[in-house]
Amino acid sequence: MVERLACRPAAERAPMIEFDNVGKTYRTFRSVVSSATHVRALDQLSLVVEPGEVMGIAGPNGAGKSTLISLVLGYLRPTEGTVRIAGLAPRAYVERHGIGYLSELVDVPPRWTVADALERYAVLAGVRDGALPLRVDEIVERLGLDEHRDKPVKALSKGNRQRLGLAQSLLRGERVFVLDEPTHGLDPLWTSRFREIVAALKHPARTILIASHNLEELERLCDRVAILDR
C-alpha cells in the first residue's frame, strides 16, 4: 500500500499537536445530599508534538492520560489554556480531516462480523466507495484477520478483538493517530508486529500519539515519552 502525504520543508512546518498551559477540572457529586466537589485532572500542561514524531504518553492510573486523549479528540474542552491540532481546535480538525483512533477498550457490536465491522467503519472514516473493498482486504491481511473475517466479533479472542480495533484505526491513512494501550491483549508475536506497523506509519507529515502503562514498550516505539504524574 502506497500512502501519499504532502510534506512541507521542516522550516515551514508548525507543531501538529500543541497543549498550551492546559488545565482540566471535573465537577463531581459524592452523593445526592452532598455538595459538588472538583477534581483536577490536568494542571498547567504544555506540550508540543511535531509532524513526523511518535510521542509516548505514560503515567500511573489517574494521572490524566485519558483526559489528555479526550482533549485531543475533541470529546472535552479544557477548563484553561488551549489545545490545537495543526492550528485548529481539536473538534474542528477531526471534522475536517479525521483522526485514526484506537480506544483502550475495543467495543464493537458483538453480532457484526469482522468484515462487516471494517466495512462500516471504513464508510464512517470517509473511504471512497470504489476503494472500500480493496482497503478492507488490505487491512484484514495486514492485521492477520483473514481467517476471522466472517466470524462475529463476540467469537473473537481478546487479542483478535484488539487487532480488529487496530485495523479500524488504520482504514484511512490519517495525518494524526491516537493509540490508547495499543498492545493490550496482544501476544508477543503481534506485539512485535505492532512495532513494525508503527515503523511503517512513520512519515514526516504524520504524528502518532501512543498512551501506555508499558514504559519499556514506549521506549522501543517512540521518539520521546512524556510522563504525567500528580
Side-chain angles (χ1 to χ4, degrees):
M1 180 184 64
V2 177
E3 296 186 70
R4 295 178 176 85
L5 297 178
C7 185
R8 292 181 294 173
E12 299 179 15
R13 277 183 259 161
M16 182 61 85
I17 300 173
E18 186 171 12
F19 289 81
D20 184 8
N21 204 31
V22 170
K24 179 62 183 177
T25 300
Y26 295 101
R27 189 182 185 196
T28 64
F29 293 86
R30 293 183 180 176
S31 70
V32 175
V33 296
S34 68
S35 59
T37 185
H38 296 84
V39 176
R40 190 73 167 166
L42 290 175
D43 189 32
Q44 297 182 332
L45 172 65
S46 292
L47 177 68
V48 171
V49 190
E50 303 288 352
E53 190 169 24
V54 181
M55 184 79 186
I57 304 294
N61 292 331
K65 297 189 300 298
S66 295
T67 297
L68 184 152
I69 288 172
S70 294
L71 290 168
V72 171
L73 296 172
Y75 294 161
L76 299 174
R77 293 180 179 178
T79 310
E80 301 99 26
T82 57
V83 183
R84 290 287 182 267
I85 305 177
L88 299 174
R91 182 167 293 187
Y93 179 88
V94 172
E95 290 174 351
R96 187 175 301 180
H97 302 290
I99 281 181
Y101 173 51
L102 170 64
S103 62
E104 179 179 4
L105 298 176
V106 177
D107 188 12
V108 179
R111 295 183 184 276
W112 290 2
T113 67
V114 168
D116 286 342
L118 290 175
E119 287 170 5
R120 291 170 191 252
Y121 287 130
V123 170
L124 290 174
V127 177
R128 298 189 308 274
D129 290 345
L132 194 149
L134 178 60
R135 185 60 178 158
V136 169
D137 287 345
E138 288 176 344
I139 292 297
V140 163
E141 182 179 357
R142 191 173 185 182
L143 273 297
L145 292 169
D146 194 57
E147 64 179 295
H148 305 294
R149 65 182 301 149
D150 295 321
K151 291 182 181 178
V153 171
K154 64 182 179 182
L156 297 180
S157 67
K158 185 176 182 179
N160 287 334
R161 192 171 302 187
Q162 185 73 2
R163 283 154 59 191
L164 173 60
L166 181 59
Q168 67 78 26
S169 73
L170 300 176
L171 281 166
R172 206 179 76 162
E174 311 286 4
R175 290 178 180 271
V176 178
F177 282 88
V178 177
L179 308 177
D180 193 0
E181 299 291 349
T183 58
H184 182 67
L186 296 184
D187 60 29
L189 174 61
W190 273 100
T191 296
S192 176
R193 290 189 180 178
F194 172 73
R195 296 176 200 139
E196 297 172 3
I197 289 171
V198 172
L201 284 175
K202 288 195 70 170
H203 187 281
R206 174 177 287 136
T207 296
I208 304 172
L209 201 65
I210 302 176
S212 177
H213 287 89
N214 190 333
L215 269 176
E216 182 181 354
E217 193 62 30
L218 289 178
E219 282 187 312
R220 294 180 178 183
L221 290 167
C222 301
D223 302 307
R224 289 190 296 149
V225 177
I227 299 178
L228 304 180
D229 194 17
R230 293 188 291 277

